C-alpha cells in the first residue's frame, strides 16, 4: 500500500517479477466466429474451454442481420448462459470474451464486448496510454459507458469508421495511437460479413474451417472445430470472412503465412507445449501473480481497491500476525508464502496444517489475518479451520482457484487465485 501515485514496496516487487519475465496482460478469453451458423453456442463453448484461465465476467456480441446484440454478465459463464436462455441471441458473426479486470471493477457494464457507434470490441490486455486517450476523447465529447481501458478502442474505431474508413483500416488507424499489450477482435454493424483482429503481446490464433472462420486467444478454445490454424505474430492485423483470411502488419505490409495443422489433442493443447501441467503451472507463476492482482489494484492511484480485498487500511495496519492455513500442496506453498509475507510486510507470519488447527484450541483473535489456501476452495479441513478462526474473531482471506467455492464463501473476503 503506497501513497497515491507511489507504488509501494509490494507493488514494486510483484511488478518486477512480472517485468523480468516479460509478461504483460495476456490472460482471459477471446473467441470469434464468422460463417453461416448462428454462433452463440460456439462462442460459449469456446469460452468454456478457456475457463480454467480464470475470469470475473463474460459476454458475447452477435450480429443478428440488422444490429449487433450484446449480452454480458458478472461471475460464472453459467450466468451468461442463463441470461442467454432468457434473451436468446442468433446470428453471425459473433465475438465472445471472458474478462479478468485490469481497469474498472468486475461488473456488467465493464464486461466486454464494449460497443460504440456500431462497433463491438473484445480485448485482452492493457491499453497503457488509456488515460491520455480517454482525456482526448472526452474533450471531443465522447461519453464513456464503462471504466475500462478497452472501451477507448471501440470509440477510436467508431471514429475512424465515421470518417469513411472500412473496418480493417479503421482498426489499423485506431491502433496506431494505442500503446500497450492487446489482442482485440472487432466487428461492425455495417460490415456483417467480417471480424477484424489484431495482436500485440497477447496471443491470438485464427482457425480455418470449411466455409467458416474462427479466432481465439488460445488454441484449445477452437480446436474441436478445426485443426488448421494460423498464429498471428506481434504487430499483425487480420481480416476474417467466412471464406478467407488476409493478414498484414499494422503498418500495412501484406503477410503471407501458411496454416499449421495442430496435431495435439485438446488436453495436450491445454498444457501449452509443456510436458506436464505441473511444469506449465511453475512457468505460469509470474502471470498468476499478475492475474491475482488484477482488478484489485487501482493503476491510476497506485493503491489497492479495498472493496475488492475485503480488508480495509485500518484493519491491515492493526494486524499482528499473518497465519497461513492449508493442507497438502497448498500447505507447502504456504510455507514459502509465509517467508515472503514476513519479508515484504514486516508482520510476523506463520503457517499451520489446517487439519492440526481444528484438533486443538488455538489462540487466534482480532489481530490475526488468516490466509486460507486451497486450490479447489473445498478442502474440508481448511474449511473447518476457517470457521474455527472466524469464531475466534480473526480476519480471513481465502486464496483459491475457484470463485464461489466453500472456503471463499466462508471467509470474510475471497481471492480468485
Ligand atoms: N484491460 C481490459 C479490462 O480491464 C481487459 C482485461 C482482460 O484481459 O480481460 O477490461
Amino acid at each position: 500500500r503506497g501513497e497515491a501515485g507511489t507504488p509501494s514496496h509490494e507493488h514494486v516487487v510483484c511488478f518486477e517479477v512480472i517485468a523480468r519475465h516479460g509478461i504483460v496482460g495476456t490472460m482471459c478469453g477471446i473467441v470469434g466466429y464468422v460463417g453461416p451458423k448462428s454462433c452463440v453456442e460456439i462462442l460459449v463453448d469456446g469460452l468454456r474451454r478457456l475457463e480454467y484461465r480464470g475470469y470475473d465476467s463474460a459476454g458475447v456480441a452477435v450480429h443478428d442481420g440488422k444490429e449487433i446484440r450484446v449480452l454480458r454478465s458478472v461471475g460464472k459463464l453459467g450466468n451468461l448462459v442463463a441470461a442467454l436462455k432468457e434473451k436468446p441471441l442468433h446470428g453471425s458473426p459473433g465475438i465472445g470474451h471472458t474478462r479478468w479486470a485490469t481497469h474498472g471493477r468486475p461488473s456488467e457494464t465493464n464486461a466486454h464486448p464494449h460497443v460504440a457507434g456500431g462497433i463491438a470490441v473484445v480485448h485482452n490486455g492493457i491499453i497503457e496510454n488509456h488515460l491520455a486517450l480517454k482525456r482526448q476523447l472526452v474533450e471531443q465529447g465522447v461519453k464513456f459507458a464503462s471504466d475500462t481501458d478497452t472501451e477507448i478502442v471501440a470509440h477510436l474505431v467508431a471514429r475512424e469508421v465515421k470518417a469513411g474508413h472500412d473496418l480493417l483500416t479503421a482498426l489499423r488507424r485506431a491502433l496506431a495511437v494505442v500503446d500497450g499489450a492487446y489482442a482485440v477482435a472487432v466487428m461492425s454493424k455495417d460490415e456483417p460479413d467480417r471480424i477484424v483482429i489484431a495482436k500485440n503481446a497477447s496471443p491470438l490464433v485464427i482457425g480455418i474451417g470449411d466455409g467458416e472462420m474462427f479466432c481465439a486467444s488460445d488454441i484449445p478454445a477452437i480446436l474441436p472445430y478445426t485443426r488448421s490454424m494460423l498464429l498471428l505474430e506481434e504487430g499483425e492485423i487480420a481480416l476474417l470472412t467466412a471464406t478467407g483470411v488476409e493478414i498484414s502488419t499494422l503498418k500495412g505490409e501484406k503477410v503471407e503465412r501458411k496454416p499449421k495443422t495442430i496435431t495435439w489433442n485438446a488436453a495436450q493443447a491445454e498444457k501449452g507445449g509443456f510436458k506436464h501441467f505441473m511444469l506449465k503451472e511453475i512457468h505460469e507463476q509470474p502471470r498468476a501473480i499478475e492475474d491475482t492482482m488484477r482488478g484489485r489494484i487501482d493503476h491510476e492511484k497506485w493503491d489497492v481497491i479495498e472493496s475488492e480485498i475485503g480488508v480495509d487500511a485500518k484493519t491491515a495496519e492493526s494486524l499482528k500476525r499473518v497465519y497461513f492455513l492449508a493442507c497438502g500442496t497448498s500447505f507447502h506453498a504456504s510455507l514459502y508464502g509465509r517467508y515472503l509475507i514476513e519479508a515484504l510486510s514486516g508482520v510476523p507470519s506463520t503457517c499451520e496444517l489446517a487439519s492440526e488447527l481444528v484438533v486443538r484450541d488455538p489462540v487466534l483473535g482480532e489481530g490475526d489475518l488468516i490466509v486460507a489456501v486451497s486450490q479447489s476452495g473445498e478442502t474440508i479441513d481448511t474449511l473447518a479451520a476457517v470457521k474455527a478462526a472466524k469464531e475466534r474473531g480473526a480476519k480471513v482471506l481465502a486464496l483459491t482457484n475457484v470463485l464461489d467455492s466453500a472456503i471463499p464463501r466462508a471467509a470474510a473476503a475471497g481471492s480468485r487465485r
Side-chain angles (χ1 to χ4, degrees):
R1 164 174 284 275
E3 293 302 310
T6 29
S8 72
H9 181 56
E10 290 91 308
H11 293 146
V12 172
V13 170
C14 290
F15 282 110
E16 270 177 11
V17 170
I18 292 156
R20 259 206 308 276
H21 290 264
I23 287 167
V24 243
T26 56
M27 282 301 270
C28 298
I30 290 181
V31 181
Y33 175 88
V34 47
K37 292 183 191 138
S38 183
C39 65
V40 175
E41 261 175 46
I42 295 171
L43 301 181
V44 173
D45 178 60
L47 293 178
R48 190 158 278 137
R49 285 170 216 284
L50 298 175
E51 242 185 328
Y52 70 97
R53 291 178 163 276
Y55 61 99
D56 56 54
S57 51
V60 287
V62 173
H63 202 298
D64 71 358
K66 274 199 198 135
E67 297 284 337
I68 294 179
R69 306 252 171 232
V70 176
L71 210 59
R72 304 175 290 185
S73 64
V74 179
K76 293 190 172 166
L77 214 45
N79 298 347
L80 180 67
V81 172
L84 282 164
K85 264 211 184 105
E86 295 231 326
K87 269 201 212 158
L89 298 182
H90 301 285
S92 158
I95 49 180
H97 189 257
T98 42
R99 174 179 189 234
W100 205 330
T102 66
H103 294 68
R105 51 178 300 138
S107 68
E108 194 176 316
T109 37
N110 286 337
H112 303 206
H114 290 283
V115 179
I119 300 296
V121 175
V122 291
H123 160 229
N124 283 351
I126 294 172
I127 310 294
E128 299 292 350
N129 58 341
H130 69 105
L131 277 181
L133 292 174
K134 190 164 182 176
R135 209 171 300 128
Q136 284 167 16
L137 288 164
V138 168
E139 271 165 21
Q140 290 161 12
V142 168
K143 297 244 174 324
F144 278 81
S146 77
D147 303 319
T148 62
D149 49 343
T150 303
E151 193 186 338
I152 289 161
V153 179
H155 289 293
L156 288 175
V157 176
R159 188 174 68 182
E160 298 296 339
V161 166
K162 211 168 155 204
H165 297 291
D166 60 74
L167 185 60
L168 179 73
T169 313
L171 180 61
R172 180 179 283 130
R173 289 175 64 93
L175 291 177
V177 297
V178 166
D179 292 333
Y182 51 76
V184 288
V186 184
M187 52 192 264
S188 162
K189 171 176 168 279
D190 297 328
E191 292 174 74
D193 63 336
R194 62 196 57 201
I195 296 176
V196 177
I197 61 175
K199 161 193 155 72
N200 187 37
S202 249
L204 210 47
V205 301
I206 300 165
I208 305 168
D210 188 9
E212 54 188 1
M213 213 57 79
F214 304 80
C215 65
S217 51
D218 211 347
I219 292 171
I222 50 176
L223 200 57
Y225 306 102
T226 176
R227 291 190 163 270
S228 179
M229 305 265 178
L230 278 164
L231 309 188
L232 224 54
E233 302 285 348
E234 301 313 325
E236 287 180 352
I237 183 166
L239 167 66
L240 274 56
T241 61
T243 51
V245 181
E246 280 172 29
I247 305 180
S248 50
T249 63
L250 282 168
K251 295 201 182 86
E253 297 126 16
K254 240 178 130 41
V255 173
E256 296 290 343
R257 185 160 307 138
K258 289 222 163 64
K260 270 187 178 185
T261 304
I262 305 296
T263 49
W264 340 316
N265 61 31
Q268 285 164 326
E270 279 172 20
K271 285 189 209 142
F274 290 99
K275 204 167 167 209
H276 308 289
F277 276 111
M278 186 163 176
L279 210 52
K280 176 171 174 252
E281 288 180 2
I282 288 169
H283 284 271
E284 268 178 358
Q285 287 181 85
R287 197 166 73 182
I289 294 173
E290 186 199 13
D291 287 330
T292 306
M293 295 192 295
R294 278 191 171 208
R296 301 199 162 97
I297 289 178
D298 184 330
H299 290 261
E300 280 151 37
K301 298 198 198 118
W302 273 107
D303 202 354
V304 292
I305 303 169
E306 286 174 5
S307 57
E308 290 300 316
I309 309 269
V311 179
D312 61 29
K314 230 174 115 211
T315 315
E317 272 153 26
S318 70
L319 291 173
K320 304 262 178 311
R321 184 167 56 164
V322 179
Y323 208 113
F324 284 84
L325 283 176
C327 296
T329 312
S330 297
F331 172 73
H332 286 100
S334 300
L335 284 171
Y336 181 56
R338 177 205 149 177
Y339 298 150
L340 285 183
I341 290 294
E342 203 161 82
L344 289 172
S345 68
V347 178
S349 301
T350 187
C351 178
E352 185 173 356
L353 270 172
S355 49
E356 292 293 321
L357 185 111
V358 288
V359 292
R360 62 188 188 87
D361 188 12
V363 180
L364 289 171
E366 275 193 357
D368 290 314
L369 174 71
I370 303 294
V371 182
V373 186
S374 162
Q375 196 286 127
S376 66
E378 301 286 344
T379 313
I380 198 78
D381 289 325
T382 309
L383 180 61
V386 162
K387 288 182 181 161
K390 286 205 73 179
E391 274 164 24
R392 289 163 172 81
K395 194 92 193 152
V396 181
L397 190 89
L399 197 65
T400 161
N401 250 347
V402 186
L403 269 177
D404 297 328
S405 50
I407 292 171
R409 276 191 274 117
S415 172
R416 285 168 297 200
R417 200 156 174 141

